[in-house]
Amino acid sequence: MASFLLLKLVCFLSIICGTSAIKALSQTNFSSFLERSTTGVFVNFYSPYCGHCQKLHPIWTKLAERHDREDSVDIVEVDCIRNSDLCDAHGILGYPTMKFFQVGSTEGKEFEGRRDVTSLENFMEQCNSEAFS
């Protein structure tokens, strides 16, 4: 039981403190980040208290680490508890919600697939190669 609680604490702290490969955005820098970005931006809108978000975190971290040195996409996250106005403005109704923003776009395309690295990568590739309809 103690090891389970320790694992949950580590997961929670890693979500709160962030991971170096994942850029944490907020209300103050989200729009300017999208405007300055020369790549697509894949955003995980999450709550640190959400069990599904905690389960996704190691997958999102792995995705970010795999694409950290690439010029085709930025992997970022937004804490919706700390940035509720930003999440409301983007229509976030549940957690986690992942959206891909193409270069120059302020409207994200929502991911609706399996929450695994391969599915997330396939979605990113599809978004990078097509225009939004």
Side-chain angles (χ1 to χ4, degrees), residues 100 102 109-112 119-133:
F100 189 93
Q102 289 183 328
K109 180 176 182 180
E110 189 169 337
F111 174 77
E112 296 180 349
S119 298
L120 293 166
E121 286 177 329
N122 290 340
F123 179 73
M124 287 184 340
E125 289 173 18
Q126 174 190 357
C127 289
N128 262 336
S129 65
E130 334 177 318
F132 289 135
S133 53

Side-chain angles (χ1 to χ4, degrees), residues 77-90:
E77 64 185 8
V78 173
D79 178 341
C80 288
I81 300 303
R82 293 183 178 174
N83 301 283
S84 59
D85 289 343
L86 174 62
C87 295
D88 289 346
H90 286 278

Side-chain angles (χ1 to χ4, degrees), residues 38-63:
T38 58
T39 68
V41 180
F42 202 10
V43 184
N44 177 20
F45 294 94
Y46 76 98
S47 164
Y49 308 111
C50 162
H52 295 290
C53 299
Q54 292 171 6
K55 185 176 178 182
L56 175 67
H57 185 72
I59 296 165
W60 197 254
T61 299
K62 185 175 182 177
L63 180 71

Side-chain angles (χ1 to χ4, degrees), residues 1-52:
M1 181 66 157
S3 61
F4 175 73
L5 292 175
L6 181 60
L7 177 62
K8 286 203 61 102
L9 177 63
V10 168
C11 287
F12 178 75
L13 289 175
S14 68
I15 290 172
I16 295 297
C17 297
T19 302
S20 62
I22 301 173
K23 297 167 186 75
L25 300 182
S26 67
Q27 291 171 177
T28 59
N29 65 0
F30 186 84
S31 293
S32 62
F33 187 88
L34 288 181
E35 289 169 10
R36 289 190 324 263
S37 181
T38 58
T39 68
V41 180
F42 202 10
V43 184
N44 177 20
F45 294 94
Y46 76 98
S47 164
Y49 308 111
C50 162
H52 295 290

